[in-house]
Amino acid sequence: MFYDINDDINDILKRLAQENITFNDKIILVTGGAGFLGSWVCDVLIKQGAYCICLDNLTSGRFDNIAHLMKEDNFRFINHDISEPIYFGFTHHPKGICVGEIKKIDIVMHMASRASPFEFKKYPIPILKSNTLGTMNALGIAKAHNALFFYTSTSEVYGNPPGDAVPTSEDYFGHVNPVGPRSCYDESKRAGEAFVKAYELQHKIKTKIVRIFNTSGPRIRSGSEFGRVVPNFIKQALSNQDITVFGDGTQTRSFIYVTDEIEGILKMVYKEEALGEVINLGNDKEFTILELANMIKELTHSDSKITFKPLPIDDPVRRCADLTKAKKLLHWQPTTTLKEALIKTIAWFKDNEL
Ligand code: UDP
């Protein structure tokens, strides 16, 4: 299959246009804008005629994801770590660096954070900082500009829910180990949500929180140091290495394709109905990790063996999104099947990551 990312970006634009959703002329700050999801958001915003400020320190984000946007008049890249203060519209500020010429920001989308369990071991402190100090700094920008604040939280705030809480809805409070190997991410995202609610309460900021479930697709990073399960299995299968299933492979995840996720995110940013809300955006179709491994092996026609490795500590047993709220408030649901998503992601990996 020949894969062109522009077809998928145009597909998102078409879906948004069907509901007259446009960010034309809005000035939007995207932290983590060079990352996997952030760069898809930037692509769509630029094509819609928004002025998009992409802020990223390129530690897990990649310049390659945004290089093609650098020539656009309505795109601005700032290499900065959001866990350090930054001020827009100020020429001098005692507490941080300043970007004087951008006087007004309409929307802040705080998307910066490493998200792969492999990185939790190596970078726990930057992860904690980007979701706590980074969220506070990004909220400070929203406060100064009276901007809408959109926070990308995660299904990880639910931790490892018991069976009767799966599919998991937004009113489940979570079952999270505060001192485990995943706590730097889980607890900082929870604290990030609390920061958002505190700014909403105390400073009357307009806020929205999305909880993103396992998303994959073109531009997702791969590699034993930071890969998630989908890119890892694809890369292993394409290079005929063993496909490494952790545990017995009966743990589940519900995978959503990137175009569905970005469509949901931008609908949520746009729609008044989402104001002040926390909404799950993921998939409600649950697959075991072993099913995923077999599907990728088949779709890649790979000779790889499926092998089993120890299950990481606190690895959630089941994860599946309850999408009732997203369907009701956003009139949105994912439409891409896992098989379709994998076919496109595999095609992209063949061209870009091998
Ligand atoms: N996993 C696996 N092999 C890998 C990477 C991950 O079996 O090479 C499993 C992991 O233990 C988890 C699931 O796949 O049960 C999803 O892992 P991922 O790293 O994508 O993120 P998570 O959903 O745990 O945040």
Side-chain angles (χ1 to χ4, degrees), residues 152-321:
T152 51
S153 187
T154 167
S155 54
E156 282 284 324
V157 299
Y158 302 127
N160 192 0
D164 61 357
V166 181
T168 310
S169 68
E170 293 82 353
D171 53 15
Y172 179 67
F173 290 167
H175 178 234
V176 177
N177 179 353
V179 291
R182 301 172 84 99
S183 67
C184 63
Y185 188 64
D186 300 13
E187 293 290 22
S188 69
K189 283 286 186 187
R190 290 168 68 89
E193 291 195 9
F195 261 115
V196 174
K197 285 290 151 186
Y199 269 69
E200 183 182 77
L201 189 70
Q202 199 170 325
H203 296 305
K204 313 291 176 228
I205 309 263
K206 290 183 183 159
T207 76
K208 300 175 182 181
I209 297 173
V210 60
R211 293 188 181 141
I212 296 176
F213 286 65
N214 294 66
T215 310
S216 59
R219 292 192 185 150
I220 194 165
R221 290 179 307 154
S222 66
S224 55
E225 291 224 337
F226 37 72
R228 308 291 297 269
V229 68
V230 170
N232 275 9
F233 284 1
I234 291 176
K235 213 164 176 180
Q236 289 167 339
L238 289 177
S239 49
N240 285 322
Q241 291 165 6
D242 289 356
I243 298 177
T244 54
V245 169
F246 297 161
D248 60 6
T250 55
Q251 72 272 34
T252 69
R253 294 295 183 269
S254 52
F255 300 98
I256 178 166
Y257 186 57
V258 63
T259 57
D260 289 330
E261 187 67 43
I262 300 298
E263 177 200 355
I265 284 175
L266 291 173
K267 284 189 169 165
M268 186 172 166
V269 174
Y270 188 84
K271 292 192 176 187
E272 284 288 318
E273 293 88 329
L275 214 55
E277 298 289 346
V278 180
I279 303 179
N280 286 341
L281 290 182
N283 213 324
D284 50 7
K285 310 275 178 297
E286 204 177 346
F287 290 86
T288 69
I289 295 302
L290 192 54
E291 282 171 328
L292 177 77
N294 278 310
M295 215 185 260
I296 290 176
K297 184 169 148 68
E298 197 181 308
L299 292 172
T300 50
H301 311 289
S302 170
D303 293 329
S304 293
K305 271 202 324 268
I306 294 177
T307 57
F308 295 87
K309 292 198 160 187
L311 189 68
I313 295 166
D314 292 339
D315 196 291
V317 177
R318 284 182 67 193
R319 187 181 293 147
C320 182

Side-chain angles (χ1 to χ4, degrees), residues 56-90:
D56 204 299
N57 67 351
L58 301 179
T59 50
S60 62
R62 287 172 167 177
F63 186 72
D64 277 0
N65 290 341
I66 53 160
H68 61 289
L69 295 176
M70 296 299 280
K71 63 180 187 310
E72 305 291 343
D73 289 341
N74 54 337
F75 183 75
R76 168 89 186 260
F77 172 62
I78 299 174
N79 189 334
H80 181 78
D81 177 353
I82 190 61
S83 52
E84 303 291 339
I86 179 165
Y87 296 87
F88 291 88
F90 289 76

